[in-house]
Amino acid sequence: MEQESRKLLETDRLILRPWQDADRAPFAAIVGDPHVMRYYPNTRDRAGADAWVDKMMAGLDAGTSAFLAAERKSDGQLLGLIGTAHIDMNLRGNPREEIGWVLASRYWGQGYAPEGARAHIAAAWRRGLPELVAFTAAVNTPSQRVMEKLGMVRDTEGDFLHPRIAENHPLRPHVLYRIANPAHS
Ligand SMILES: CC(C)(COP(=O)(O)OP(=O)(O)OC[C@H]1O[C@@H](n2cnc3c(N)ncnc32)[C@H](O)[C@@H]1OP(=O)(O)O)[C@@H](O)C(=O)NCCC(=O)NCCS
């Protein structure tokens, strides 16, 4: 059951599932698009996109948490990634997992990210995770809107300068949002 909840989720409009090799080309188009990646320091070329997919596949194979592919049920299109993943840096309170999303721009504004994220939050609570955080560049207001729609709360004391973004880069200041497992409060 735990494996199942980490690896396959379904919502009204979405299947959230492990990555397949057929996702590599559409995922590379998404993360190679400067508009999609405007709140990241760089776009990814094909090799960079493949490395990202490899990392997510490896995380899922190892039984740890990694972002899932978000596929639209109606036509099987890859919308992007939505999921929870292990955090590999120090954040306030040492949270274990983050929730995140990146979608192709033609699918924005239709509530897909919050819809998929709600299923991931429910799955995280089912497997007993005490909390989830989300973080993004302070200027990334669309992503923060998703966090707010999910009922996540901004932890201003958790604001941080992203350690892998260059000093003085405008995307370096990051904000942190949290949501706690209601069964743990
Ligand atoms: C953040 C993101 C996943 C939101 O997904 P989504 O499915 O569009 O989410 P929603 O439909 O709930 O819209 C969220 C907000 O995005 C903004 N938005 C919606 N359509 C938009 C568009 N066409 N262009 C720009 N922003 C848009 C709005 O502020 C919206 O909030 P509102 O519903 O209160 O108006 C998506 O914008 C995205 O992939 N962005 C690029 C990648 C990224 O920055 N990911 C987060 C990294 S931490």
Side-chain angles (χ1 to χ4, degrees), residues 13 30 35-40 79-82 98-115 118 134-137 140-149 174:
R13 296 179 294 171
I30 295 168
H35 188 46
V36 171
M37 300 299 278
R38 68 198 191 286
Y39 299 122
Y40 286 80
L79 306 191
L81 69 78
I82 306 175
E98 63 163 314
I99 186 162
W101 33 73
V102 176
L103 303 183
S105 59
R106 64 184 172 281
Y107 303 119
W108 293 353
Q110 299 169 62
Y112 287 124
E115 180 174 322
R118 277 188 201 99
F135 52 87
T136 192
N140 189 347
T141 48
S143 190
Q144 289 169 61
R145 278 292 301 141
V146 176
M147 296 170 200
E148 286 161 6
K149 289 180 189 187
H174 271 55

Side-chain angles (χ1 to χ4, degrees), residues 1-79:
M1 181 63 189
E2 180 173 317
Q3 287 301 323
E4 194 183 320
S5 66
R6 282 186 192 212
K7 289 199 173 180
L8 193 67
L9 296 169
E10 191 177 343
T11 70
D12 284 351
R13 296 179 294 171
L14 304 174
I15 303 278
L16 306 164
R17 56 154 179 79
W19 296 87
Q20 303 164 355
D21 283 330
D23 298 322
R24 289 178 184 277
F27 186 70
I30 295 168
V31 297
D33 178 347
H35 188 46
V36 171
M37 300 299 278
R38 68 198 191 286
Y39 299 122
Y40 286 80
N42 303 106
T43 55
R44 302 287 176 108
D45 61 12
R46 179 62 195 253
D50 278 342
W52 195 345
V53 172
D54 289 343
K55 187 179 169 199
M56 294 186 283
M57 284 177 161
L60 292 165
D61 285 347
T64 52
S65 198
F67 296 133
L68 294 181
E71 178 184 309
R72 187 159 62 178
K73 275 184 185 174
S74 61
D75 57 5
Q77 287 296 306
L78 181 77
L79 306 191

